[in-house]
């Protein structure tokens, strides 16, 4: 490492730095010349102490300055990360508060909607009857429960309850799917198409079940 501080060092003299590695028989006839070469090697190999010291101090100062600046950058980056993390925590807390408020409001509406819950409970029972009839390939029995249109009383009342207790876009999507599937179910049963009736029933029942999960009514209604 010391040689890196010597810009004037001559690499041709480096092999002469150790006299012990030289063969004594090769240089016996010229001992005086050997002493001269060793002296010359030492003269070129030993750097001035003051030069090494100054350069060593300069490099040490630059290294220390770099480390301090690096440490400052890391501290600054850590502080910025902490600020961003704190902001994320605040946003998350606000979202949790809003979600909790919505759930409480929803629960309040459900608790006060006894009539609508009765309509929806009747819907569960009617769908169960229709499903059993279709499973037994008894489409006339399914038709007697469904009626001839979506204006059947229990379906109409169920739609009133669905509309009142729906608040989010996701819930509305499930209600729309349910209504279109029920219309398809009635049409398939009327045509006496058992396979289409099964598909339409599964679609409508699944949409209603997803809606009850979204609204929290899955824990209230029986038979789901």
């Amino acid at each position: 490492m010391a040689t890196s501080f010597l810009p004037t060092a001559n690499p041709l003299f480096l092999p002469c730095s150790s006299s012990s590695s030289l063969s004594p028989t090769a240089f016996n006839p010229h001992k005086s010349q050997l002493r001269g070469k060793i002296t010359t090697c030492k003269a070129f190999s030993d750097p001035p102490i003051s030069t090494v010291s100054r350069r060593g101090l300069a490099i040490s100062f630059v290294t220390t300055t770099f480390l301090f600046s690096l440490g400052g950058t890391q501290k600054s980056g850590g502080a910025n990360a902490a600020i961003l993390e704190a902001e994320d925590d605040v946003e998350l807390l606000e979202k949790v508060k809003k979600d909790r408020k919505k759930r409480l409001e929803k629960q309040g509406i459900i608790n006060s909607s006894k009539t609508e819950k009765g309509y929806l409970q009747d819907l569960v029972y009617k769908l169960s009857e229709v499903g059993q009839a279709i499973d037994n390939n008894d489409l006339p029995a399914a038709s007697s429960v469904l009626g001839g249109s979506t204006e059947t009383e229990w379906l109409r009342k169920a739609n009133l309850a669905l509309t009142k207790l729906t608040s989010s876009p996701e819930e509305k999507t499930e209600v729309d799917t349910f209504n279109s599937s029920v219309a398809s179910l009635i049409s398939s049963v009327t045509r006496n198409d058992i396979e289409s009736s099964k598909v339409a029933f599964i679609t409508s029942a699944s949409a209603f079940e997803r809606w009850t999960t979204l609204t929290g009514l899955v824990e209230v209604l029986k038979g789901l």
Side-chain angles (χ1 to χ4, degrees):
M1 292 298 294
T3 56
S4 62
F5 298 107
L6 303 178
T8 57
N10 191 338
L12 295 176
F13 289 95
L14 292 178
C16 302
S17 60
S18 176
S19 59
S20 60
S21 63
L22 300 175
S23 173
T25 56
F27 292 96
N28 271 341
H30 308 285
K31 288 183 179 181
S32 60
Q33 293 179 10
L34 176 60
R35 292 193 190 98
K37 290 181 179 181
I38 293 174
T39 302
T40 304
C41 291
K42 288 183 177 181
F44 279 91
S45 300
D46 294 337
I49 296 177
S50 59
T51 303
V52 175
S53 300
R54 285 195 300 270
R55 294 185 179 182
L57 288 173
I59 290 175
S60 176
F61 174 76
V62 171
T63 303
T64 304
T65 303
F66 172 74
L67 291 175
F68 272 115
S69 64
L70 181 61
T73 302
Q74 291 176 342
K75 290 180 181 178
S76 176
N80 291 335
I83 292 172
L84 292 175
E85 184 175 355
E87 291 177 351
D88 291 341
D89 291 341
V90 171
E91 291 179 0
L92 179 60
L93 182 60
E94 289 298 324
K95 185 178 184 302
V96 170
K97 288 181 178 178
K98 290 181 180 179
D99 290 343
R100 183 173 182 274
K101 183 179 179 181
K102 288 181 180 179
R103 284 197 303 271
L104 292 175
E105 292 175 350
K106 188 76 169 183
Q107 193 61 46
I109 294 173
I110 291 174
N111 292 338
S112 63
S113 303
K114 294 182 180 180
T115 301
E116 286 74 20
K117 285 188 291 185
Y119 293 160
L120 293 174
Q121 188 62 68
D122 190 41
L123 173 63
V124 173
Y125 294 148
K126 296 296 185 183
L127 286 177
S128 179
E129 290 180 27
V130 173
Q132 289 177 5
I134 293 175
D135 191 48
N136 294 328
N137 293 329
D138 190 354
L139 294 185
S143 180
S144 66
V145 177
L146 287 170
S149 70
T150 56
E151 292 301 316
T152 304
E153 184 178 3
W154 63 270
L155 277 174
R156 184 175 55 79
K157 289 180 177 180
N159 262 296
L160 291 175
L162 291 170
T163 302
K164 180 178 179 179
L165 299 177
T166 295
S167 58
S168 70
E170 293 82 5
E171 295 167 5
K172 187 177 185 305
T173 298
E174 298 303 338
V175 170
D176 292 341
T177 301
F178 171 78
N179 286 329
S180 62
S181 299
V182 167
S184 177
L185 173 61
I186 294 172
S187 175
S188 298
V189 169
T190 301
R191 297 195 316 269
N192 203 34
D193 186 341
I194 186 65
E195 293 303 324
S196 296
S197 297
K198 289 180 179 180
V199 172
F201 174 80
I202 292 173
T203 304
S204 58
S206 298
F208 178 67
E209 187 174 5
R210 286 193 298 269
W211 180 86
T212 60
T213 301
L214 290 170
T215 57
L217 281 162
V218 68
E219 304 294 336
V220 177
L221 301 177
K222 299 176 182 179
L224 293 175

